[in-house]
Amino acid sequence: MAQPIGSAPHLLSLASLHGMLAQAKADFTSCCEHSQSLALQILPQARQHAEPKLLSETLHLLGRCEQVLQQTSETLLHLQEASQLAAPDTLGNILELMARCHADQQDASLAMQFWGKALQAAQPFDDRECFVQCFLGVGNLYFQHEHFNEALYYQSQAVDWAELSADADLQAQSQLHLAATLIKCQQFDLAEQLLFRTEDQLQLPARLSWLAEVNHYLGQLYQARGDDLRAEVFFQAAHDINQHTAYHWGQTQSLLSLGRLKIQQGASDAAEHLLTQALALAETHESNQQRLQIHRELSALYEQRGDFIRATMHHIGYHEHYQQQIRQHTRQNLAALSSRRLRQAEIKLRLLRSELEIRQLRQQRHQEQERLERLETAAYRDALTGVYNRRALDEQLPQLIQQLAEQNLPLCLLMIDFDHFKQVNDHYSHQIGDVVLQTGMQLLQGMIRDTDILARFGGEEFVLALPKIHAGQAMQIAERMRRKIADYPWNEVTAGLKVTISLGCAQWHPGMRPAELIQHADLGLYAAKNGGRNRVCLHEDRP
């Protein structure tokens, strides 16, 4: 049994300390204070044992607790020590937490640097949780500055990585942040769908505070739609949950929203009561933004009543917090502008890109480089194979067609399908199926030009766009690809494995839309499969 803090406990065994650490980690979500207490008991004994792994994990957990409890100065000291002891596979998460602490201290420049370092450290271990937290952190920083398009960009990447992680908590967390931004962008229908989906995914009762956020955002959404009755129901539900979980920041936000709603309804006395409660709570935690908003609402409320003394007092309070916010935002805006370089340098997916590909990009013309760099983000890459995804194809193919049409240059499209792929999955396992797709795409990528676009269309189907290539040349390229896959020693992957591909080819003609070009290539693929597979067919119909 753990000794209370302040006593002089005897030295516990490593097994006992690891057991206490496991309990502290388990308690983190439901009772952060108890988790911190256990970590503080473990820390001096971990130092005595001088075991780096135990000490690093304890310091990391202690930092997480302190960050939640807004003890940021202590947090950075503990995390700095943890980062020096950490195993490589845990370093990314420690650096990500340090980034959050710098963001809490209004130092956006350092926060951006640490998120970039965290992504770099997490890349070799495919640490998707770290990817999600980094993208959420950067997105939230943009959200605070009301750069909502940039916030959407990073939060969408967080959602994509969360879905790949199959972690319900990560999915719910990233969807919550994205929904808040969608509301700011007045995308109410999409935000509503996302919030109800998030509510279904929440692991209760551990995530009650997140359920409060769902209700709060639904309240904002219905208030923006003019449905005050439903908005009040959801704001009140959020407040009740935040009271139950003793989450003061959430309580303050719910009271502020309810107060604004009452002002809108003309219920002045009820609004005053709610806003006064909110201000008292806001003084118990560090939230300059909340205090500023509450002072502004109270000042306007008292001015409307003709109580100019109270109105002036709250106006002074508002002005003081506003000046403080301006000073913080001056620092942060400069950092936010400089952080755009991270989109290309650090957040530009070290996750998926090799140094060779980056060097190749730099050698291209400036205009071409800018176009491709936008595709080198996680939002435009297939996580399994590393080739472009359907989103990238849908965006780039129309642009490519327009560019080539203006120059009167040809374009061909190949539709590529791995033959009998379901049988590979069923007979050899889905893991072997993944290896087949990865290896196949590596082989094909070695045969294409930098200007070609190779994308995963869906499942085992891929599309290759070949600019400045006529049908005859495209058929030769397709045949070389077919032989490359068929001749590869697949038996070395697993005994008895044989892999072939079928390819359909189509040439673009003036007036043909992207969807028609894809359809024609698909008809060629259909003919190749009907002809016995492991072959190439050209669809020659003109529109």
Side-chain angles (χ1 to χ4, degrees), residues 128 160-161 164 349 351-353 375-393 434 437-438 441 445 454-462:
R128 296 175 186 183
D160 287 345
W161 280 109
L164 288 172
L349 284 193
L351 317 178
L352 299 176
R353 303 305 299 160
L375 294 175
E376 303 308 316
T377 64
Y380 294 96
R381 285 279 166 180
D382 174 54
L384 177 65
T385 62
V387 302
Y388 295 136
N389 60 17
R390 179 69 178 273
R391 183 187 303 176
L393 180 70
D434 288 348
L437 296 182
Q438 290 170 330
M441 287 304 103
Q445 280 183 302
L454 178 60
R456 188 173 185 179
F457 193 71
E460 69 274 17
E461 285 191 337
F462 295 80

Side-chain angles (χ1 to χ4, degrees), residues 510-525:
M512 185 183 289
R513 296 189 302 274
E516 291 177 293
L517 179 59
I518 291 172
Q519 182 184 23
H520 284 203
D522 197 40
L523 288 171
L525 175 62

Side-chain angles (χ1 to χ4, degrees), residues 58-68 75 78-79 97:
T58 304
L59 287 164
H60 184 201
L61 177 62
L62 190 55
R64 291 174 67 195
C65 296
E66 289 164 342
Q67 195 269 336
V68 170
T75 309
H78 289 136
L79 292 176
L97 187 54

Side-chain angles (χ1 to χ4, degrees), residues 225-347:
R225 283 177 171 172
D227 190 343
D228 290 356
L229 184 60
R230 295 184 75 182
E232 185 171 359
V233 169
F234 281 109
F235 283 142
Q236 189 61 53
H239 177 258
D240 293 345
I241 295 171
N242 283 320
Q243 268 195 316
H244 176 74
T245 57
Y247 184 29
H248 287 179
W249 190 93
Q251 281 180 258
T252 308
Q253 200 64 26
S254 300
L255 289 167
L256 173 58
S257 296
L258 284 166
R260 285 171 167 166
L261 191 61
K262 291 300 180 185
I263 290 174
Q264 189 175 313
Q265 294 170 345
S268 174
D269 291 342
E272 178 187 12
H273 177 68
L274 290 163
L275 292 171
T276 303
Q277 280 185 281
L279 185 59
L281 268 175
E283 298 297 341
T284 66
H285 57 274
E286 291 296 326
S287 179
N288 184 62
Q289 177 68 15
Q290 283 185 333
R291 290 195 288 263
L292 181 148
Q293 293 173 349
I294 297 166
H295 279 300
R296 181 172 56 193
E297 297 294 344
L298 283 169
S299 177
L301 179 66
Y302 287 124
E303 184 177 352
Q304 187 178 18
R305 284 184 180 176
D307 189 342
F308 297 111
I309 294 177
R310 290 187 180 182
T312 302
M313 288 171 58
H314 286 289
H315 179 74
I316 292 170
Y318 164 77
H319 184 73
E320 288 175 351
H321 292 296
Y322 179 75
Q323 290 301 320
Q324 183 180 347
Q325 189 178 58
I326 288 296
R327 288 192 294 272
Q328 292 171 352
H329 279 202
T330 299
R331 293 171 60 201
Q332 285 192 325
N333 278 330
L334 293 173
L337 288 172
S338 67
S339 73
R340 289 169 189 165
R341 293 194 296 269
L342 290 176
R343 188 179 298 180
Q344 298 176 1
E346 297 182 26
I347 301 178

Side-chain angles (χ1 to χ4, degrees), residues 6 76 139 526:
L76 285 170
Y526 181 78

